[in-house]
Amino acid sequence: MNSFDTAAPFYAAYRPGIPKEAVELLARRVAGQEHRTLLDLGSGTGQVPLALAGTVTEIDVVEQDAGMLAEADKALAGLPVTVRLHNIAAENFTPPASYRADLVTVCRAFHWMDQDVVLSRLEGMTAPDATVAIMGDGSLWTARTAWTDALRALIQEYLGEERRAGAGKTYAAHNRPYSEILAESAFGQVEEHTIAVEREWTTDMVIGYLYSTSFAARPLFGERVDDFERRARTLLDEHTAAGGLTEHASFQVVLGRRG
């Protein structure tokens, strides 16, 4: 199983969307331009292209997981803009020589990539004034509330202390800030934005979200998945009754441009 096998339908249904403030911030970066091509790397189910569809004139969706790309295809069908789907890893995406993206986005996926390779390759496929946006907001694994702490402990009881990253893998944290990584690339004019987000979850939403992740996908639990879900639902219902399932998150947007 790779990191997201079986997860695509859950991802499409249960992953939180992109904050309105982030969409507006990105839209301003291409406002007034006649030609506005969005290149979304590690697109997942197409959340970012869908949110920006009214702002751009062309969209390239790059996603190496075929199941995720199929969900993106469904989500983006019928948009009044040109959409091209590419079933390939970001590191290997090779557009025509004349291709120039005006806005490049990577949302909740940069940590999976060979970052230096991706940024280096973007030099040759972006417009001179293009913006590269690296975005993300952690996960329910990293959230620190009473209910997420209890949920994480339950997952660890079944799958071990270390955070999983698919079958047979553990998560390798990237400790360098994305602002530093961008600053060392061709897109060295960097600015950072932090958007406070409050989310209210339900038990069904949390369970669906967990099954969309690489750290708690259904196959990881094997024959114990039904037992895990039963206990997780009981835990979440108890916390719902005691005060709700509120998550306070910070959505980070790191923007880079050529100097």
Side-chain angles (χ1 to χ4, degrees):
M1 186 185 90
N2 70 34
S3 298
F4 291 102
D5 277 351
T6 78
F10 293 106
Y11 200 110
Y14 295 105
R15 280 295 175 109
I18 311 305
K20 180 183 70 172
E21 295 88 343
V23 175
E24 293 171 347
L25 177 65
L26 295 174
R28 289 195 293 270
R29 285 304 182 113
V30 293
Q33 297 177 207
E34 181 178 356
H35 187 258
R36 303 180 300 280
T37 297
L38 168 65
L39 171 60
D40 189 43
L41 301 176
S43 190
T45 59
Q47 285 189 335
V48 173
L50 186 60
L52 288 169
T55 299
V56 298
T57 55
E58 297 183 31
I59 299 172
D60 284 278
V61 177
V62 177
E63 171 55 53
Q64 66 178 347
D65 183 275
M68 293 284 190
L69 195 65
E71 294 291 340
D73 189 18
K74 288 189 287 186
L76 301 173
L79 290 179
V81 296
T82 299
V83 178
R84 294 177 290 264
L85 304 176
H86 309 274
N87 189 193
I88 195 169
E91 295 86 344
N92 298 324
F93 175 61
T94 306
S98 61
Y99 178 86
R100 294 294 181 269
D102 302 287
L103 175 63
V104 180
T105 51
V106 187
C107 185
R108 301 173 179 141
F110 199 49
H111 57 285
W112 296 113
M113 298 177 184
D114 188 326
Q115 297 160 354
D116 292 338
V117 168
V118 169
L119 291 173
S120 176
R121 290 175 63 83
L122 285 176
E123 293 182 47
M125 63 181 77
T126 48
D129 60 348
T131 295
V132 175
I134 311 299
M135 303 181 287
D137 54 355
S139 69
L140 290 185
W141 179 279
T142 56
R144 290 296 180 266
T145 65
W147 71 270
T148 55
D149 287 349
L151 183 62
R152 186 173 55 256
L154 180 63
I155 295 169
Q156 290 171 318
E157 181 182 331
Y158 283 81
L159 302 180
E161 288 293 316
E162 293 190 84
R163 176 176 172 175
R164 294 286 195 97
K169 303 176 186 176
T170 55
Y171 181 79
H174 293 267
N175 297 321
R176 291 189 66 206
Y178 291 156
S179 57
E180 288 186 10
I181 297 170
L182 264 182
E184 294 174 359
S185 74
F187 308 95
Q189 294 296 318
V190 174
E191 61 182 69
E192 299 179 72
H193 300 264
T194 300
I195 300 166
V197 179
E198 181 176 291
R199 301 187 182 107
E200 295 294 337
W201 295 81
T202 66
T203 293
D204 284 343
M205 290 166 62
V206 173
I207 296 297
Y209 170 89
L210 290 180
Y211 291 160
S212 82
T213 69
S214 62
F215 64 80
R218 285 181 59 87
L220 295 177
F221 296 93
E223 295 179 353
R224 300 195 295 169
V225 64
D226 290 339
D227 184 61
F228 164 77
E229 181 172 328
R230 177 186 57 77
R231 292 182 61 191
R233 285 184 177 279
T234 298
L235 181 156
L236 292 166
D237 287 345
E238 289 173 352
H239 280 273
T240 297
L245 304 176
T246 303
E247 177 200 6
H248 296 279
S250 294
F251 192 90
Q252 305 289 335
V253 182
V254 183
L255 303 175
R257 269 184 167 170
R258 290 179 173 86

